[in-house]
């Protein structure tokens, strides 16, 4: 779980081109200025590549915060 | 609070990632956005009841995310995901639970997507403004019905026949027409657009055919139907998507001229066009998704 959050943080740094982003399970789109729907999909595809998982469109739309994303990745990756 | 204020408040609370796009849509033309948004949302409320706002806004966000996701996958593969009309008919148009949500989502994109707000302006200023007296109109693939109902709302002397392949469309468009108080002047029939070639020629003063052509394996046949239905001198508002993926887009238009040439081939003079794209696109995109609107007139002479 902590592992997933760490790797996810790297993906966020890469996608948003910002190494200062600090993720917690509570982080939402309101905390990261550039996190709009377009960047969200970009992020999700990067997450797919980084973790070897695939998301459905309802996965993509339903996520409310980073905690839910971590849980989804762990569930999909069978962790 | 107006309905559009309710929409912004709801998005802020429930879908913060989608707020920016809708704000951009309002920035295109605030006066028009407010007028169109309040009217469309008012029809949605009358058609759907008390939960209209969450139901429609959720549907719009889902639809928009699906479109972005389809575009991202198209960027990766270089092709639209599906190419079979029958597949889309079975999996999308024919499935009530999928299609009802999809159509309410699309209904809101007419003003919630900035580039479609520009198409709405084109529709109102360039097409509706040109309709002749007592126009007999045909709407091909009305979906949610918003375009045609807007025409009926604007022009009390107009009448409209709509044809869509989807049972969801017939139900939703009828409810929107009812909500707008125009149902005595409209009929909606479930029918494949390409079968309209069997209708008598030249029955329409105006044709609306918005975002159907990229859903067909043989788009050319649709343009032939539009040309055939129009009276000489009659007007058509036609829109299509170019290099813009969606779960049910199967014909990939790449250049604006493809649509123009297709229209010309079937006896239409292309008087005005508008090609618009979203304000923000995927990083490092190879394809620029565009929505194109054409205002066409059925020729009366050889070339015009
Ligand atoms: C993207 S929606 C467009 C709705 C609306 N015209 C608009 O511009 O927002 C596409 C519509 O085309 C309809 N459709 C798809 N193939 C069709 C066909 N062959 N004949 C009639 N309608 C069709 C679908 O059922 C759906 O309502």
């Amino acid at each position: 779980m902590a592992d997933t959050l760490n790797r996810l943080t790297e993906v966020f740094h890469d996608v948003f081109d910002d190494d200062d982003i600090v993720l917690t399970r509570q982080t939402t789109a309101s905390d990261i200025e550039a996190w709009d729907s377009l960047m969200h999909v970009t992020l999700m595809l990067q997450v797919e590549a980084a973790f070897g998982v695939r998301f459905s469109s309802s996965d993509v739309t339903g996520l409310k915060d980073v905690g839910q994303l971590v849980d989804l990745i762990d569930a999909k990756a069978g962790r | 609070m107006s309905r559009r204020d309710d929409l912004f408040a709801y998005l802020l609370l429930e879908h913060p990632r989608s707020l920016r796009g809708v704000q951009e849509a309002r920035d295109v033309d605030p006066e028009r956005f407010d007028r169109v948004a309040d009217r469309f949302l008012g029809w949605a409320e009358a058609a759907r009841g008390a939960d209209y706002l969450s139901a429609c806004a959720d549907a719009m966000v889902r639809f928009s995310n699906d479109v972005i996701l389809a575009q991202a996958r198209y960027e990766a593969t270089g092709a639209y995901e599906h190419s079979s009309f029958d597949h889309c008919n079975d999996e999308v148009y024919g499935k009530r639970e999928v299609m009802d949500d999809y159509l309410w989502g699309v209904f809101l994109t007419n003003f919630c997507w900035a580039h479609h707000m520009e198409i709405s302006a084109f529709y109102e200023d360039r097409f509706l403004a040109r309709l002749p007296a007592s126009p007999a109109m045909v709407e091909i693939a009305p979906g949610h019905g918003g375009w045609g109902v807007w025409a009926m709302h604007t022009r009390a002397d107009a009448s409209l026949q709509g044809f869509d392949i989807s049972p969801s469309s017939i139900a939703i468009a009828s409810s929107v027409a009812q909500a707008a108080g125009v149902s005595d002047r409209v009929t909606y029939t479930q029918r494949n657009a390409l079968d309209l070639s069997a209708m008598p020629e030249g029955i329409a003063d105006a044709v609306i055919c918005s975002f159907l052509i990229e859903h067909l394996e043989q788009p050319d046949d649709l343009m032939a139907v539009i040309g055939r239905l129009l009276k000489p001198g009659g007007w058509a508002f036609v829109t299509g998507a170019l290099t813009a993926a969606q779960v049910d887009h199967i014909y990939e238009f790449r250049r604006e001229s493809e649509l123009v040439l297709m229209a010309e081939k079937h006896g239409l003079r292309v008087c005005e066009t508008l090609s618009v794209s979203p304000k923000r696109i995927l990083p490092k995109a190879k394809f620029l998704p565009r929505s194109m609107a054409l205002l066409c007139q059925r020729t009366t002479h050889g070339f015009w």
Side-chain angles (χ1 to χ4, degrees):
Chain A
M1 197 101 107
D3 226 33
T4 306
L5 190 62
N6 288 339
R7 278 191 61 202
L8 192 59
T9 304
E10 285 169 26
V11 174
F12 269 73
H13 289 176
D14 195 33
V15 168
F16 292 104
D17 196 18
D18 178 356
D19 288 346
D20 295 334
I21 292 174
V22 179
L23 292 187
T24 69
R25 287 186 60 89
Q26 284 72 42
T27 306
T28 69
S30 320
D31 302 310
I32 299 175
E33 161 104 48
W35 192 355
D36 60 15
S37 50
L38 204 65
M39 290 310 285
H40 182 60
V41 169
T42 307
L43 176 73
M44 294 298 278
L45 293 196
Q46 285 291 108
V47 172
E48 282 187 349
F51 290 89
V53 294
R54 183 159 168 124
F55 298 117
S56 69
S57 64
S58 60
D59 292 335
V60 172
T61 299
L63 294 171
K64 293 256 180 264
D65 57 25
V66 165
Q68 288 185 4
L69 178 54
V70 168
D71 294 344
L72 185 66
I73 294 168
D74 287 346
K76 294 234 173 209
R79 258 175 260 251
Chain B
M1 280 221 314
S2 62
R3 291 189 182 88
R4 62 177 186 274
D5 293 333
D6 293 339
L7 175 66
F8 278 112
Y10 182 78
L11 290 175
L12 179 64
L13 200 65
E14 296 295 330
H15 304 288
R17 296 189 295 261
S18 299
L19 192 59
R20 181 164 167 207
V22 185
Q23 267 156 353
E24 285 169 352
R26 184 168 190 275
D27 291 343
V28 168
D29 183 343
E31 177 281 322
R32 195 186 313 258
F33 177 94
D34 292 351
R35 184 163 48 80
V36 175
D38 282 341
R39 188 184 299 147
F40 270 57
L41 291 170
W43 293 339
E45 181 172 13
R48 294 204 55 142
D51 77 336
Y52 83 100
L53 186 62
S54 57
C56 292
D58 290 354
M60 188 271 290
V61 169
R62 271 192 290 270
F63 178 78
S64 304
N65 282 335
D66 282 358
V67 166
I68 301 170
L69 190 60
Q71 189 72 12
R73 302 224 188 271
Y74 166 55
E75 280 287 338
T77 62
Y80 290 171
E81 190 172 358
H82 299 292
S83 55
S84 146
F85 174 78
D86 289 341
H87 169 88
C88 298
N89 198 22
D90 293 344
E91 296 304 318
V92 186
Y93 316 137
K95 282 209 166 126
R96 275 310 283 267
E97 67 286 6
V98 174
M99 193 61 180
D100 284 5
D101 199 64
Y102 166 119
L103 285 179
W104 282 112
V106 177
F107 183 74
L108 261 64
T109 63
N110 282 334
F111 56 93
C112 287
W113 286 2
H115 61 310
H116 283 202
M117 194 61 220
E118 292 182 60
I119 294 201
S120 288
F122 182 86
Y123 177 76
E124 184 168 44
D125 296 346
R126 315 309 300 163
F127 174 72
L128 288 186
R130 273 188 165 94
L131 292 176
S134 307
M137 303 180 66
V138 170
E139 182 168 17
I140 308 178
H144 46 71
W147 293 113
V149 169
W150 185 352
M152 296 302 108
H153 172 84
T154 308
R155 288 290 299 269
D157 59 342
S159 58
L160 180 130
Q161 290 178 266
F163 302 96
D164 197 291
I165 204 161
S166 166
S168 295
S169 162
I170 305 308
I172 293 176
S174 302
S175 73
V176 170
Q178 177 96 38
V182 302
S183 45
D184 54 329
R185 291 180 283 125
V186 306
T187 59
Y188 293 107
T189 309
Q190 191 188 340
R191 198 150 170 201
N192 189 325
L194 300 182
D195 295 342
L196 301 180
S197 57
M199 285 179 84
E201 218 177 317
I203 55 163
D205 295 299
V207 168
I208 301 168
C209 184
S210 179
F211 297 116
L212 169 62
I213 200 155
E214 65 278 12
H215 296 250
L216 302 178
E217 290 174 25
Q218 273 115 14
D220 205 58
D221 294 351
L222 175 66
M223 214 51 112
V225 164
I226 296 171
R228 183 183 156 86
L229 289 175
L230 277 178
K231 288 180 189 160
W235 293 97
F237 170 79
V238 181
T239 72
L242 294 88
T243 65
Q246 196 172 293
V247 54
D248 52 352
H249 286 180
I250 58 176
Y251 191 93
E252 187 191 352
F253 287 99
R254 294 202 154 193
R255 296 190 175 79
E256 281 75 1
S257 56
E258 293 169 38
L259 279 163
V260 172
L261 291 172
M262 214 176 261
E264 288 178 344
K265 183 174 156 195
H266 293 289
L268 300 169
R269 183 170 67 100
V270 179
C271 302
E272 294 185 41
T273 62
L274 176 75
S275 179
V276 287
S277 54
K279 304 285 159 223
R280 285 164 291 117
I281 58 170
L282 291 165
K284 305 194 193 97
K286 293 192 287 286
F287 298 107
L288 179 68
R290 285 103 86 208
S291 294
M292 185 178 184
L294 298 90
L295 180 73
C296 305
Q297 188 169 31
R298 168 84 217 184
T299 51
T300 48
H301 297 69
F303 302 110
W304 55 284

